[in-house]
Amino acid sequence: MVKVLVATEKPFAAVAVSQIKEIIEKAGFEFALLEKYVGQEPFIEAAKTAHAIIIRSDLATKEVLDAAKELKIIVRAGAGYDNIDLKAATENNIVAMNTPGQNSNAVAELALGMMVYQARNQFNGKDGKELRGKTLGIHAYGNVGKYVAKIAQGFGMKVLAFDPFVKKEAIEADGVQAVDTVEELYKLSNYVSLHIPATEKTKKSIDFNLLNLMPKGATLVNTARKEVIHEDDLLKLMETRADFAYLSDIAPGCAAEFEAKFAGRYYFTPKKMGAQTAEANINAGVAAANQIVAFFKNGVITFKVN
Ligand code: 3PG
């Protein structure tokens, strides 16, 4: 019998787990659950007998994938699959997939939520600012970027986007101004919201020179990956520009320095929580379960990423 393991160090909402279980069992497969595990050992052990695995930001390393001798498919219930060693998956004939778009609205709502929080001085009682009339630059116009644009337009913000992989006309059809260069985006935006994936090319690409183009009183919002930030440059920028704020879904490696020096000018979630809503967990988890069933029953490989 096909055994489907849900391995989530940060668990899905209980309602999502029960829906995933129902789909797996209705298909005649076995359902196994590993939640809140500590270290890689429990994951490696559980992976050994699984034919399919559903993960979130869990690290599907070469060690895990080499040990998973029965494994045919691994699905990242979410967008970013930088946590899967794709080379090791391919070497082991394992199909890797993601579930694009399923948790995007949750991430977008958090981006705007953090912006409001910062604009209102972290709700400390002092006078703040409004988002209306400010310019928001969306760096990468994918599923999350689109939702961010729509919500920001509701706030009355002017929305710009830079994405060399999306046609200008498609961006402008959403009432968003497409800019030609990344420098232009940063130069024109009071807020920049990051939605680029973490790849060898993008890691550490958000550096001092780019951020320093932003106007006075600017805020960078990162609900993408901490790895895309050049942290030494970010620290330098925070030191030289007392007007600059940084909001991030998950703390950077240099969080202690922020705590010591930049009180009131940053906010970091205690745990990555952009996709941590019941709705997003249901959407992504159910999509992952359905993709696994379709893979085993009909050989469907839509959303394969390796
Ligand atoms: C994603 O890439 O889909 C988001 O970063 C969500 O990650 P999570 O499922 O670990 O919360």
Side-chain angles (χ1 to χ4, degrees):
M1 193 198 280
V2 171
K3 182 173 176 181
V4 182
L5 170 71
V6 173
T8 48
E9 181 271 321
K10 181 178 63 184
F12 286 120
V15 58
V17 176
S18 60
Q19 290 191 28
I20 295 167
K21 185 169 186 279
E22 202 182 311
I23 292 165
I24 300 303
E25 291 180 344
K26 210 167 156 193
F29 301 165
E30 183 187 342
F31 173 82
L33 183 63
L34 174 72
E35 288 182 330
K36 295 185 194 168
Y37 60 91
V38 180
Q40 282 293 83
E41 268 320 303
F43 185 19
I44 294 169
E45 214 32 59
K48 283 181 183 166
T49 55
H51 301 94
I53 299 179
I54 296 174
I55 53 169
R56 296 185 63 181
S57 291
D58 305 80
L59 299 178
T61 57
K62 179 169 166 54
E63 209 186 349
V64 173
L65 299 172
D66 284 351
K69 297 288 180 221
E70 310 297 324
L71 194 63
K72 301 282 178 288
I73 177 168
I74 182 158
V75 183
R76 195 280 190 243
Y81 46 87
D82 47 307
N83 51 323
I84 303 179
D85 186 330
L86 292 182
K87 190 166 168 269
T90 304
E91 277 166 7
N92 285 291
N93 287 320
I94 299 164
V95 169
M97 291 185 189
N98 66 346
T99 66
Q102 299 293 345
N103 58 20
S104 306
N105 181 65
V107 178
E109 285 191 16
L110 182 73
L112 269 293
M114 290 198 296
M115 283 163 59
V116 172
Y117 179 66
Q118 188 62 26
R120 294 302 181 97
N121 281 318
Q122 309 194 342
F123 304 149
N124 67 0
K126 295 197 179 129
D127 55 326
K129 285 180 292 189
E130 297 182 22
L131 299 184
R132 186 179 182 82
K134 309 296 186 300
T135 300
L136 168 66
I138 299 181
H139 190 165
Y141 200 69
N143 290 310
V144 183
K146 264 175 172 285
Y147 277 109
V148 168
K150 210 170 174 183
I151 303 169
Q153 285 164 339
F155 273 97
M157 298 186 84
K158 176 175 181 186
V159 185
L160 314 177
F162 171 74
D163 194 326
F165 304 104
V166 179
K167 283 202 174 86
K168 237 180 157 170
E169 303 81 66
I171 295 175
E172 302 209 321
D174 292 343
V176 174
Q177 186 188 324
V179 297
D180 293 323
T181 65
V182 69
E183 288 79 13
E184 200 181 343
L185 186 82
Y186 282 70
K187 215 180 270 178
L188 297 174
S189 302
N190 306 108
Y191 293 83
V192 166
S193 190
L194 284 173
H195 303 291
I196 52 176
T199 65
E200 283 323 305
K201 226 176 153 184
T202 63
K203 281 179 189 167
K204 294 192 177 194
S205 65
I206 308 304
D207 58 14
F208 182 87
N209 290 340
L210 196 55
L211 294 172
N212 202 29
L213 294 173
M214 292 184 75
K216 198 167 161 34
T219 299
L220 177 68
V221 188
N222 183 8
T223 54
R225 293 287 182 269
K226 65 178 179 177
E227 288 80 5
V228 302
I229 305 288
H230 193 302
E231 291 193 6
D232 288 344
D233 277 14
L234 177 65
L235 284 172
K236 183 173 144 196
L237 186 92
M238 294 291 292
E239 294 270 12
T240 54
R241 288 207 22 197
D243 61 294
F244 197 92
Y246 180 55
L247 313 173
S248 178
D249 183 16
I250 205 168
C254 55
E257 278 167 277
F258 270 77
E259 230 170 275
K261 299 180 187 166
F262 309 125
R265 294 170 52 207
Y266 73 93
Y267 174 74
F268 307 139
T269 52
K271 201 161 193 156
K272 189 155 183 60
M273 56 173 295
Q276 198 60 3
T277 65
E279 294 90 336
N281 286 179
I282 291 169
N283 291 346
V286 163
N290 282 329
Q291 285 171 216
I292 286 169
V293 172
F295 171 78
F296 283 109
K297 302 257 186 205
N298 302 312
V300 178
I301 51 165
T302 317
F303 305 126
K304 181 174 182 283
V305 294
N306 65 332

